[in-house]
Amino acid sequence: MSSILEAEPTTEPPGPPAPRGGSWAALRPLVLRLHFYAGVLVAPFLLVAAATGLLYAASWQVEEIVYSHELNAPARPTTTPLSQQVAAARAAQPRGTVIAVRTPAGPGRTTAVLMDVPGLAPSTKLAVFVDPHTAEVRGALESYGSSGALPVRAWISHLHRNLHLGEPGRIYSELAASWLWVVALGGLVLWLSRRRRPGRRVRRLLAPEPGTTGLRRSLSWHGAVGLWAVTGLLFLSATGLTWSTYAGANVDELRAALNWSTPALSTASGGGDHSAHTGSDHSAHGAVPSGAAVDRVAGAAAGAGLSGPLEIVWPEASGGAYVVKEIDYAWPQRLDQVAVDPASARVAEELRFADHPPAAKLARWGIDGHMGRLFGPANQLLLAVLAGGLVFLVGYGYRMWWQRRPTRGFARPYRRGAWRRVHWAVLVPATVAAVAAGWFVPLLGVSLAGFLLVDVLLGLRARIASRRTTGTPA
């Protein structure tokens, strides 16, 4: 990604403006000015998102260490029935209402019995961890969201999402995701189009230029690192926007209009996503017989080809079907689902991940990749590298801003009025694209309009000051 501040004139050159044209030479100053404002004004939001994202990438391992006792149990050759494990969890937490069970992810892991308990925050359940071999309860912890984040990881997740400020805090992360792709693409174009001396041009494109100092050295490092990181940054921006408040709503509407939504089991008693149960009345769960029913349901799911780890979701109404979901998000993913009648142990409906529309699969992979669970530790390491790279790019961007400053104060933005030298055949489509992007990504549009308004006001002030200095009538 190119420097937010490349060495070009900071004031409008004397004499008449350059002739209009549709060449990149006319468009480049406009991109530079946009990159300047985005880099200087939005970079703090990107820096916070990158730093908290770096923490989240490591939170999976932190969770394993902090809650090792609850998550692990000595491996043994025999296991107790699920119904017995559920009974043990109920005995330990009599105030809770069982809504789901997550079977062990492998040998030496515990079963998680999820309960609705009064007083918990939205999207939060109480997870009671049971030794699958002895039915001994090893502890209980709050579990947040569909990924089952325990308190430490949930705290870091909220820090990354909204800085623990609730819904208003989500504006920061959406603003960062809204501008990240603009900054990344603009920087990429500027870096690729930068003039280079003949000889080793490819090497100077892909790696920092040796033997340079000052601003040129900073630019070389900033551009080379940005080039390697740009694909990952675009991925983080796109997937981050799917979770956002305003752009996310537009993404959902677009997916629904194009029939790209993720399918769900049509069974009225349990086909929806478990996360959608948040805040609903689960009193009916207590009326559902849980004895041997859960064992029959698990057996029916195994007969249908589902393998662990599984999430078995209780019906919302007495007599309804249990929903059994594969929850193996590693690659290759196992995310098939079945609805099982507990009375007859018959599979009433199946939903195979292989039958999902391609767009729904891409959305699933994108979300899981953003969360760091698609490829396990390799995914988390890649996220950490990307987050660290973004911190580096922001830091070097501000470093170049400081290096380019005059004797006192801060560096001035690139010259204004570049748009007047862009041919209408290029300017009109670019304007239409900007308006469309601003409509689909509202925080991008609002902030861009704010940048333009400030720029116009600064231009008017500079023009008035110039006329007063030269004695020209206003």
Side-chain angles (χ1 to χ4, degrees):
M1 196 164 27
S2 174
S3 162
I4 58 173
L5 301 166
E6 215 170 317
E8 290 207 5
T10 58
T11 58
E12 198 70 40
R20 293 176 180 268
S23 66
W24 170 243
L27 189 61
R28 180 180 172 86
L30 182 62
V31 178
L32 275 169
R33 191 163 181 84
L34 175 64
H35 204 56
F36 172 86
Y37 276 122
V40 172
L41 303 177
V42 182
F45 299 95
L46 297 177
L47 183 61
V48 173
T52 56
L54 185 60
L55 285 176
Y56 187 80
S59 66
W60 299 84
Q61 280 67 36
V62 173
E63 183 177 75
E64 288 291 329
I65 295 172
V66 174
Y67 306 114
S68 175
H69 177 76
E70 290 83 359
L71 295 172
N72 298 285
R76 302 175 188 269
T78 59
T79 60
T80 59
L82 272 178
S83 56
Q84 187 174 336
Q85 299 177 50
V86 171
R90 277 182 163 154
Q93 298 289 337
R95 294 175 60 246
T97 302
V98 177
I99 59 172
V101 173
R102 291 186 173 182
T103 62
R109 304 291 285 184
T110 54
T111 299
V113 180
L114 300 180
M115 293 184 169
D116 258 341
V117 177
L120 292 181
S123 299
T124 303
K125 308 301 175 189
L126 183 68
V128 181
F129 296 94
V130 182
D131 185 330
H133 309 289
T134 65
E136 173 195 359
V137 174
R138 295 182 63 84
L141 296 166
E142 292 184 5
S143 174
Y144 173 76
S146 60
S147 69
L150 300 181
V152 167
R153 183 158 62 89
W155 188 91
I156 297 175
S157 175
H158 285 297
L159 179 67
H160 179 60
R161 178 179 298 184
N162 57 30
L163 302 178
H164 293 281
L165 298 175
E167 283 300 314
R170 295 184 66 180
I171 293 177
Y172 114 84
S173 57
E174 182 168 354
L175 186 65
S178 299
W179 275 97
L180 180 56
W181 66 275
V182 178
V183 175
L185 286 180
L188 175 66
V189 171
L190 291 171
W191 181 246
L192 293 178
S193 63
R194 186 168 179 266
R195 293 180 181 178
R196 291 175 175 83
R197 298 172 184 174
R200 298 185 179 180
R201 288 184 177 178
V202 174
R203 195 250 180 231
R204 291 175 179 175
L205 180 70
L206 300 177
E209 187 175 351
T212 56
T213 59
L215 179 61
R216 188 176 183 86
R217 182 178 184 274
S218 299
L219 171 61
S220 179
W221 273 95
H222 184 83
V225 172
L227 180 65
W228 285 100
V230 65
T231 302
L233 297 181
L234 293 176
F235 168 80
L236 292 178
S237 176
T239 52
L241 286 174
T242 62
W243 277 314
S244 63
T245 301
Y246 303 106
N250 290 334
V251 171
D252 290 340
E253 291 180 5
L254 177 63
R255 291 181 60 190
L258 298 176
N259 198 27
W260 287 353
S261 299
T262 301
L265 289 172
S266 60
T267 305
S269 58
D273 182 15
H274 175 59
S275 61
H277 295 335
T278 302
S280 62
D281 181 11
H282 284 284
S283 59
H285 285 303
V288 179
S290 64
V294 67
D295 298 326
R296 292 195 300 268
V297 167
L306 272 66
S307 57
L310 302 174
E311 182 180 76
I312 304 174
V313 183
W314 261 235
E316 290 189 359
S318 179
Y322 284 71
V323 173
V324 185
K325 309 174 183 180
E326 291 180 326
I327 52 173
D328 185 357
Y329 293 94
W331 189 267
Q333 291 185 309
R334 290 179 295 166
L335 299 174
D336 293 342
Q337 301 180 28
V338 295
V340 180
D341 180 357
S344 63
R346 181 181 63 87
V347 174
E349 188 178 356
E350 298 183 1
L351 178 59
R352 303 293 177 177
F353 185 68
D355 298 330
H356 285 201
K361 291 181 181 178
L362 288 174
R364 179 75 270 164
W365 295 331
I367 290 173
D368 293 336
H370 192 110
M371 295 182 65
R373 59 181 180 176
L374 185 58
F375 299 106
N379 193 166
Q380 295 153 32
L381 178 61
L382 179 59
L383 287 177
V385 171
L386 279 174
L390 184 53
V391 171
F392 176 90
L393 292 170
V394 171
Y396 259 68
Y398 279 116
R399 175 185 174 89
M400 288 182 288
W401 184 38
W402 182 256
Q403 288 174 322
R404 193 175 151 266
R405 74 191 189 283
T407 305
R408 292 183 301 174
F410 297 98
R412 298 174 63 184
Y414 290 103
R415 58 187 181 187
R416 58 173 45 87
W419 64 271
R420 291 193 295 268
R421 289 180 286 274
V422 181
H423 194 276
W424 67 268
V426 176
L427 185 61
V428 171
T431 302
V432 172
V435 171
W439 173 84
F440 193 78
V441 186
L443 288 190
L444 172 66
V446 171
S447 55
L448 179 58
F451 292 167
L452 293 176
L453 177 61
V454 170
D455 194 43
V456 169
L457 293 177
L458 291 176
L460 290 175
R461 189 182 71 171
R463 182 175 300 178
I464 293 173
S466 175
R467 287 176 175 176
R468 287 175 178 174
T469 302
T470 59
T472 304

